[in-house]
Amino acid sequence: MNGPLCMLIAFMGCMLIGVPIPWAAGVATVVGLHIIDIPFTLLSQTAYNAFESFPLMTIPLFVLAGQLMEKGGMSEHLIHIARKMVGSLRGGTSLVTIISCGLFASLTGSGPATTAAIGSITIPAMVDEGYPKKFASGISASAGALGSIIPPSNLLIIYALIAEESVPKLFLAGLVPGFMVILFLILTSSTVCRVSGFGERVDDDFMFRPLLKALWEGKWAIGAPLIILGGIYSGIFTPTEASAVAVFYGLFVGTFIYKKLTVANIIDSLKATTTMVGTVLVILGSTKAFGQLVAFYDIPIAVQGFFTGFTSNPFLVLLVISALYILVGMWMESIPQVVIFTAVLLPVVKSMGIDPIFFGVLTVLTCEVGFLTPPIGVNLFVSSRIAGISLEESSIGVLPFVVPYIVTIIILCAMPWLTTGVVDVFFK
């Protein structure tokens, strides 16, 4: 029997009848194990090994830290800082949303969490100022996706676990693409506001004194990413230790400095973290075994033969892979997408001389586009619910803001050194 074909049929069949992706991957894995007569215990052993990884601890801790920082009032201070930076420009509140999401992304590591934290404040403000609801929803969803590329990113951590790469290197490699997306989002938003005739200025002319005052008032919020990332790259602590420091910092600032973190907020944060971590573990356990079986069947070699059959140009191969990721991201959640396709495609790109650190950033960046496309666009669900509009309207509003991500992906495929260059300089 053709094992890979049977696995594909089992996987797609389960998905078509509505089986969740982790269970569909588990069923496909069982089919594949049966065909080559490998004991089913491999499924549980692989899942256990995936859970045993010490760096996996960073995910629940960073998620909890982000929840505590949001409920502790840090998002409000970040928005105030962003307003003093760009509020005097046309489309000021939309630009505030982008900058605020970029800042908050450095606290939480999650796209949907960033969308919820910032969008819950800026979407109502934009609607009150006359922005169309679909625009407000679209800009919040697209800017919120920065939470998955700007460190600390949960998806980059998961890629590091699967690819056995350095988490600090991946974090550093995500900085330049993150700033590129922010810049392109700002240009797109300004252009749309100017052409459409909405988005008046929300602040006086830019002055350094109000900005410095906002920075001083929000110094505890700005200090979080400086302490977390600064501690990692100075060698003071590892990413896992940094995540624990982030939790303590969020508790301390929210409770004793901003005094907005209550016992009820802490309990809500723990509940949200538990739900998130439980989802990650279920997905990671089944899809990791699926990915290992893919290697047993030499599927990466077959995929490599497919690519080399029509081109050996790394740029074209990366573009094809990016298009595949974006298409799959419309139907598959990001975590199983990273786990499954990394197992299949990482050996292919490494054989072509493509840096696995760069490929990890590209993988996560293309997954971000999946956050913005129905029917599995998580960010769209969050932003449309806040804006009080349908998913279809939100999908229309986000279309212009998918372009910055596509442009960034194409530039990175042509110039991978934009990501790896920073890593090479820092880790020489």
Side-chain angles (χ1 to χ4, degrees), residues 216-231:
W216 177 252
E217 292 173 349
K219 58 184 178 294
W220 291 98
I222 294 293
L226 296 179
I227 291 173
I228 295 168
L229 299 179

Side-chain angles (χ1 to χ4, degrees), residues 328-349:
V328 173
M330 296 179 182
W331 307 95
M332 183 180 290
E333 294 177 355
S334 297
I335 295 175
Q337 185 179 350
V338 170
V339 177
I340 293 172
F341 284 95
T342 296
V344 176
L345 295 173
L346 181 60
V348 176
V349 298

Side-chain angles (χ1 to χ4, degrees), residues 151-168:
S153 162
N154 293 333
L155 287 181
L156 285 176
I157 294 170
I158 290 173
Y159 174 87
L161 296 175
I162 303 302
E164 298 181 353
E165 293 292 338
S166 165
V167 173

Side-chain angles (χ1 to χ4, degrees), residues 318-332 337 362-363 365-374 402 405-407 409-410:
L318 289 172
L319 286 182
V320 172
I321 291 175
S322 299
L324 173 65
Y325 275 151
I326 293 172
L327 179 63
V328 173
M330 296 179 182
W331 307 95
M332 183 180 290
Q337 185 179 350
L362 182 68
T363 296
L365 191 58
T366 51
C367 286
E368 287 187 89
V369 180
F371 280 147
L372 308 177
T373 51
V402 173
Y405 286 93
I406 302 297
V407 171
I409 289 169
I410 294 173

Side-chain angles (χ1 to χ4, degrees), residues 156-423:
L156 285 176
I157 294 170
I158 290 173
Y159 174 87
L161 296 175
I162 303 302
E164 298 181 353
E165 293 292 338
S166 165
V167 173
K169 287 184 178 180
L170 283 162
F171 280 0
L172 195 59
L175 288 176
V176 171
F179 289 132
M180 289 174 62
V181 172
I182 289 174
L183 175 61
F184 292 145
L185 283 173
I186 288 174
L187 293 174
T188 303
S189 179
S190 298
T191 302
V192 172
C193 288
R194 188 172 299 277
V195 171
S196 302
F198 55 76
E200 297 296 332
R201 300 193 312 168
V202 295
D203 212 342
D204 298 328
D205 292 339
F206 174 81
M207 296 179 66
F208 276 106
R209 186 179 295 275
L211 175 59
L212 292 176
K213 182 181 178 182
L215 287 170
W216 177 252
E217 292 173 349
K219 58 184 178 294
W220 291 98
I222 294 293
L226 296 179
I227 291 173
I228 295 168
L229 299 179
I232 292 174
Y233 294 115
S234 64
I236 297 176
F237 36 69
T238 66
T240 307
E241 293 166 344
S243 62
V245 170
V247 171
F248 174 79
Y249 188 89
L251 276 171
F252 176 78
V253 173
T255 303
F256 299 105
I257 304 299
Y258 295 149
K259 298 180 180 179
K260 291 190 175 183
L261 199 59
T262 63
V263 174
N265 287 338
I266 294 174
I267 293 174
D268 288 341
S269 298
L270 290 170
K271 288 180 179 178
T273 302
T274 302
T275 302
M276 169 66 180
V277 174
T279 303
V280 170
L281 292 179
V282 169
I283 293 173
L284 188 60
S286 60
T287 53
K288 182 70 183 290
F290 183 88
Q292 187 171 349
L293 194 58
V294 161
F296 286 164
Y297 276 109
D298 291 329
I299 293 177
I301 296 176
V303 174
Q304 181 181 348
F306 166 77
F307 281 115
T308 56
F310 73 89
T311 181
S312 58
N313 187 323
F315 173 68
L316 294 178
V317 171
L318 289 172
L319 286 182
V320 172
I321 291 175
S322 299
L324 173 65
Y325 275 151
I326 293 172
L327 179 63
V328 173
M330 296 179 182
W331 307 95
M332 183 180 290
E333 294 177 355
S334 297
I335 295 175
Q337 185 179 350
V338 170
V339 177
I340 293 172
F341 284 95
T342 296
V344 176
L345 295 173
L346 181 60
V348 176
V349 298
K350 288 174 71 174
S351 69
M352 303 183 73
I354 297 171
D355 193 304
I357 295 293
F358 159 74
F359 187 67
V361 173
L362 182 68
T363 296
V364 172
L365 191 58
T366 51
C367 286
E368 287 187 89
V369 180
F371 280 147
L372 308 177
T373 51
I376 312 293
V378 181
N379 281 21
L380 288 180
F381 281 104
V382 174
S383 64
S384 62
R385 190 160 55 244
I386 295 172
I389 59 177
S390 67
L391 181 64
E392 290 77 13
E393 290 178 282
S394 187
S395 300
I396 294 172
V398 84
L399 284 178
F401 304 108
V402 173
V403 175
Y405 286 93
I406 302 297
V407 171
T408 303
I409 289 169
I410 294 173
I411 292 174
L412 293 180
C413 288
M415 296 181 285
W417 53 266
L418 287 173
T419 58
T420 57
V422 180
V423 179

